[in-house]
C-alpha cells in the first residue's frame, strides 16, 4: 500500500483544537435534542454541523444521535480530526482510492432505509430503520480504529450497543453467528460494477454471536456528535474496535443469524491474508507487511507518526473470547 493522499503539515485552526470545537458542538446538539422533544429540530440547531451537512437526515435519527449518553471507553488520545475521518476512507463500493468515498458517496440515498433480519431469530422480516432502532440506548464511545493496511485513527462514534439490538431480535438457541450485508446498488455505488476491486459484492461480514454480544461491539449511527456521513457507512455500520477495520462493515441492509460460520468478503478474496477473526495482533504479520506498528492519522511523509500496535488493538477485555484458541491459526 502506498501513501498517496496529501496530508496536512500546516493544520487549520479547526484541526488544532478539534476536541474543544467538538465539545462545544455537542453541548449545542444536546440542547437541540431537548428542543426536539417539544418541536421539530429548530433551524438554529441545524447550524451546529458546519463541517458537513446532516440536515437532510430524518429528524428521528438526528434526535437519536443527539440524545447519546457519554459511554465507556473514552480516551486521552488525540482524536483524529473530523476532516481526516471523513476524507480518508475505505468503502470500495465507491472506488478503491482513499478519497473516492468522500467524492462519490454523496448521492447515496440513506432514507428511507430498510433492513432485513433473517435466520435463527424470533423477530425476522424487513424493518424500516426507525422501527429497528426505536427505543434502543445510544452512547458515544471513543475507539481506536486499526486498518489491516497499518494506519489507525481515534474516532468518537455514536452508536447502539450491538447486544441491545440483537436481544431485541431474539436470536434462537440455533444462532451461533451473525452475518451482515452491505447495500450493493450499482446505480448509486460506482465501485460495485467496477472490475478493479476483485470483490464479489455485496460486501459481507460476520461475527461469532458471543463477539457480537460483547459490550464493546457497536452499531454506529453517528460520529463526532452527528449522523454518519455516507462515506463512513450511513445510515448504520458495525464497529468492532479490537478487529481490523475491514470487519466493521458499512451501510448494512441485512442481518442474519446463522448456525454455520458465514462467508466474509476479504476472507473469500484472499483467505491466506485475511482471516475470519481478524483480531488486531502485532505478532501475526500480514504475508506482505508487518503488523507490529501503525501510522496514526493525521500524519505526513515527514511525520509518519508510527505507533506500536497492541494485541486486540489495546482492548484486553476481549481476551476471554479467545481463550484456548491459537491466534496464529485463527488469524
Ligand atoms: N461495505 C463496506 N464496508 C467496509 C469497507 C468497504 O470497502 N465496504 N471497508 C472496510 C475497511 S477496510 C475499513 S478500514 C473501514 C474504514 O472505515 P472508515 O472509512 O469509516 O474509517 O471500513 C470497513 N467497512
Ligand atoms: Mo481496512
Amino acid at each position: 500500500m502506498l501513501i498517496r493522499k496529501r496530508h496536512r503539515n500546516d493544520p487549520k485552526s479547526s484541526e488544532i483544537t478539534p476536541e474543544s470545537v467538538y465539545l462545544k458542538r455537542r453541548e449545542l446538539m444536546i440542547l437541540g435534542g431537548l428542543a426536539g422533544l417539544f418541536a421539530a429540530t429548530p433551524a438554529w440547531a441545524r447550524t451546529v454541523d458546519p463541517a458537513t451537512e446532516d440536515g437532510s437526515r430524518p429528524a428521528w435519527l438526528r434526535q437519536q444521535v443527539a440524545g447519546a449518553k457519554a459511554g465507556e471507553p473514552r480516551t486521552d488520545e488525540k482524536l483524529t480530526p473530523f476532516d481526516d475521518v471523513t476524507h480518508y476512507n475505505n468503502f470500495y463500493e465507491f472506488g478503491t482510492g482513499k478519497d473516492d468515498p468522500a467524492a462519490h458517496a454523496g448521492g447515496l440515498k440513506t432514507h428511507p432505509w430498510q433492513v432485513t433480519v433473517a435466520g435463527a431469530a424470533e423477530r425476522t422480516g424487513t424493518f424500516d430503520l426507525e422501527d429497528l432502532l426505536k427505543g434502543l440506548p445510544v452512547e458515544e464511545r471513543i475507539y481506536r480504529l486499526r486498518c489491516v493496511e497499518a494506519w489507525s485513527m481515534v474516532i468518537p462514534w455514536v452508536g447502539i450497543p450491538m447486544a441491545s439490538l440483537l436481544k431485541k431480535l431474539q436470536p434462537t438457541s440455533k444462532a451461533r453467528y451473525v452475518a451482515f450485508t452491505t447495500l450493493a446498488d450499482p446505480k448509486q455505488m460506482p465501485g460495485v460494477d467496477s472490475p478493479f476491486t476483485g470483490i464479489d459484492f455485496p460486501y459481507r461480514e460476520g461475527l461469532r454471536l458471543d463477539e457480537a454480544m460483547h459490550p464493546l461491539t457497536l452499531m454506529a449511527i453517528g460520529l463526532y456528535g452527528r449522523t454518519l456521513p455516507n462515506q463512513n457507512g450511513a445510515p448504520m455500520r458495525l464497529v468492532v474496535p479490537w478487529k481490523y477495520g475491514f470487519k466493521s462493515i458499512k451501510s448494512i441492509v441485512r442481518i442474519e443469524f446463522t448456525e454455520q460460520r458465514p462467508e466474509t468478503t476479504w476472507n473469500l478474496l484472499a483467505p491466506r491474508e485475511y482471516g475470519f477473526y481478524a483480531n488486531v495482533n502485532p505478532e501475526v504479520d500480514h504475508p506482505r507487511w508487518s503488523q507490529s506498528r501503525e501510522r496514526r492519522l493525521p500524519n505526513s511523509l515527514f511525520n509518519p507518526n508510527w505507533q506500536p500496535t497492541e494485541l486486540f488493538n489495546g482492548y484486553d477485555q476481549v481476551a476471554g473470547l479467545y481463550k484456548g484458541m491459537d491466534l496464529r491459526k485463527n488469524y
Side-chain angles (χ1 to χ4, degrees):
M1 203 207 50
L2 294 170
I3 303 164
R4 46 190 293 285
K5 192 184 177 271
R6 90 210 127 82
H7 281 293
R8 291 152 204 81
N9 289 322
D10 43 21
K12 286 176 267 166
S13 61
S14 65
E15 290 161 355
I16 295 169
T17 55
E19 281 98 343
S20 57
V21 167
Y22 158 59
L23 287 176
K24 210 187 230 146
R25 192 166 58 205
R26 239 191 97 70
E27 280 163 25
L28 286 171
M29 298 230 11
I30 289 165
L31 286 173
L34 286 175
L37 291 176
F38 302 100
T41 310
W44 61 265
R46 271 180 231 133
T47 65
V48 302
D49 278 316
T52 62
E53 60 87 35
D54 73 343
S56 63
R57 307 304 194 199
W60 69 265
L61 183 59
R62 280 187 285 137
Q63 279 165 24
Q64 209 161 359
V65 169
K69 296 201 170 67
E72 295 290 330
R74 313 199 67 80
T75 180
D76 301 336
E77 292 166 281
K78 199 167 170 291
L79 300 181
T80 301
F82 181 86
D83 197 41
D84 294 271
V85 172
T86 56
H87 289 81
Y88 189 93
N89 299 104
N90 277 334
F91 199 164
Y92 278 24
E93 287 84 338
F94 296 101
T96 56
K98 292 287 181 278
D99 41 14
D100 282 334
H104 304 302
L108 177 67
K109 197 165 175 254
T110 62
H111 175 71
W113 189 269
Q114 294 193 313
V115 180
T116 298
V117 178
E122 300 293 345
R123 292 189 67 192
T124 55
T126 297
F127 302 93
D128 284 333
L129 185 63
E130 180 176 7
D131 296 328
L132 188 71
L133 303 185
K134 197 176 281 168
L136 297 175
V138 182
E139 291 183 19
E140 183 181 71
R141 308 262 186 92
I142 302 176
Y143 286 157
R144 293 176 291 277
L145 173 81
R146 170 56 158 86
C147 176
V148 76
E149 298 163 333
W151 52 264
S152 65
M153 300 191 190
V154 181
I155 303 176
W157 299 104
V158 173
I160 292 160
M162 186 66 78
S164 61
L165 172 58
L166 297 185
K167 277 183 201 146
K168 180 174 175 176
L169 304 176
Q170 299 171 29
T172 67
S173 58
K174 286 219 164 99
R176 291 186 55 219
Y177 296 88
V178 55
F180 302 93
T181 309
T182 297
L183 179 74
D185 178 2
K187 288 203 258 350
Q188 302 186 72
M189 301 168 136
V192 165
D193 275 345
S194 149
F196 297 114
T197 66
I199 288 179
D200 177 20
F201 291 108
Y203 194 101
R204 282 157 283 169
E205 260 306 335
L207 298 169
R208 248 174 28 202
L209 191 60
D210 60 339
E211 297 179 309
M213 298 292 270
H214 191 278
L216 281 177
T217 305
L218 202 63
M219 189 66 106
I221 56 172
L223 56 77
Y224 269 103
R226 46 148 293 155
T227 58
L228 275 182
N230 289 353
Q231 59 267 39
N232 295 92
M236 168 173 101
R237 61 91 58 87
L238 179 65
V239 178
V240 199
W242 71 93
K243 293 178 179 284
Y244 292 120
F246 67 83
K247 296 295 289 183
S248 291
I249 181 173
K250 296 176 170 181
S251 304
I252 293 169
V253 292
R254 183 182 171 87
I255 300 173
E256 182 174 357
F257 296 91
T258 64
E259 248 183 297
Q260 306 296 325
R261 193 168 99 178
E263 290 184 329
T264 57
T265 288
W266 284 97
N267 183 245
L268 282 170
L269 195 66
R272 285 188 48 258
E273 302 189 9
Y274 309 103
F276 173 80
Y277 283 97
N279 293 320
V280 174
N281 191 337
E283 312 261 289
V284 179
D285 287 335
H286 187 278
R288 292 184 278 127
W289 59 84
S290 164
Q291 293 293 27
S292 68
R293 57 179 197 158
E294 64 203 52
R295 296 180 293 116
R296 175 65 51 84
L297 270 59
N299 70 344
S300 69
L301 210 49
F302 304 106
N303 177 20
N305 206 14
W306 287 109
Q307 313 228 351
T309 287
E310 293 179 75
L311 180 61
F312 302 127
N313 204 19
Y315 299 103
D316 299 332
Q317 59 267 54
V318 302
L321 292 170
Y322 309 105
K323 210 173 265 166
M325 278 177 59
D326 182 341
L327 296 178
R328 277 183 186 282
K329 283 198 187 120
N330 298 285
Y331 54 91

